[in-house]
Amino acid sequence: MGKTEYGVATRALQGDQCGDSGITLEQKGILLCAVIDGVGHGPNAAIAAVTAKNYIEANSEATLTEILHGVHEVLKSTQGAVACLCRIDLKSGQLSMAGIGNITCRIFRGLDSERLLSREGILGYMASTPREHTRKLDNADLLLMHSDGVREHFELFEYPGLLKGNAASVAARIVDTLGKNNDDASCLAVRFFR
Ligand SMILES: [Mn+2]
């Protein structure tokens, strides 16, 4: 088993109630990760994000599609959220990903990057059928997931060192450097080592 590392950073727009939330749950050699963005920001967004987080943690062994369907049901009493899930087999590097709504998910390999697309919708309101993507991670690949409170379009040459260092510091730096000043912000980073 490699020494895969991971970390999450969140930053509330105002006060201490953040409508964004992240999950990193490692069990039996499997890492389940999620980034959740409650619609809007503030206390009601935080309620939606926490409701989704609790559901995901309690159903962590279901398929990603099943989890997203379940989150959609439990969020119907809230103002809704978008969420992206990834599951990584820490031994083989096998990755599966599925999301609903605008959470960005990218895999960086050296100077290349690939974006894995979520389907449209808002969980708890109107969600399309999730689609699962699968990839095989290579040694030192970096997986990034972030909410729309983080600037999506950036060129790595503009930010030397942005993706350097351990995964937790990368997540924190991205929220600091690319976080917008009109929304909650969150970033989850995983660096895979075999
Ligand atoms: Mn947002």
Side-chain angles (χ1 to χ4, degrees):
M1 192 84 67
K3 303 183 292 282
T4 296
E5 51 180 49
Y6 43 84
V8 185
T10 59
R11 188 218 59 201
L13 175 62
Q14 45 199 197
D16 50 9
Q17 291 214 289
C18 188
D20 281 12
S21 181
I23 299 173
T24 53
L25 189 61
E26 184 179 340
Q27 300 168 307
K28 301 175 197 158
I30 304 288
L31 178 66
L32 179 68
C33 316
V35 169
I36 304 154
D37 178 356
V39 171
H41 53 82
N44 288 334
I47 288 169
V50 168
T51 304
K53 179 174 180 159
N54 290 342
Y55 181 89
I56 294 166
E57 287 177 346
N59 294 277
S60 60
E61 299 197 0
T63 68
L64 300 186
T65 298
E66 287 166 350
I67 295 173
L68 287 169
H69 281 305
V71 171
H72 178 57
E73 291 304 316
V74 296
L75 289 188
K76 282 181 176 169
S77 58
T78 72
Q79 62 188 36
V82 296
C84 179
L85 305 171
C86 285
R87 179 178 273 134
I88 301 166
D89 182 319
L90 295 176
K91 195 168 176 196
S92 67
Q94 193 69 33
L95 166 99
S96 48
M97 171 275 184
I100 295 291
N102 55 346
I103 303 287
T104 298
C105 180
R106 288 169 83 177
I107 299 169
F108 291 85
R109 179 172 297 171
L111 294 174
D112 289 333
S113 83
E114 180 189 15
R115 186 169 168 183
L116 303 182
L117 294 179
S118 291
R119 301 206 68 187
E120 286 183 9
I122 296 173
L123 295 162
Y125 178 62
M126 196 157 51
S128 33
T129 305
R131 182 168 138 226
E132 290 194 29
H133 302 270
T134 57
R135 294 289 185 277
K136 183 95 177 239
L137 294 177
D138 246 359
N139 188 50
D141 278 1
L142 178 72
L143 171 73
L144 277 189
M145 301 158 75
H146 64 78
S147 71
D148 67 350
V150 168
R151 205 143 59 78
E152 183 186 357
H153 299 288
F154 58 88
E155 298 295 339
L156 286 178
F157 68 80
E158 294 176 83
Y159 300 100
L162 186 71
L163 305 183
K164 295 267 161 57
N166 70 51
S169 67
V170 170
R173 195 180 305 123
I174 284 181
V175 165
D176 279 353
T177 310
L178 300 172
K180 298 177 186 172
N181 57 11
N182 60 357
D183 199 358
D184 299 323
S186 56
C187 182
L188 187 157
V190 179
R191 186 140 13 226
F192 175 76
F193 295 109
R194 70 166 78 252

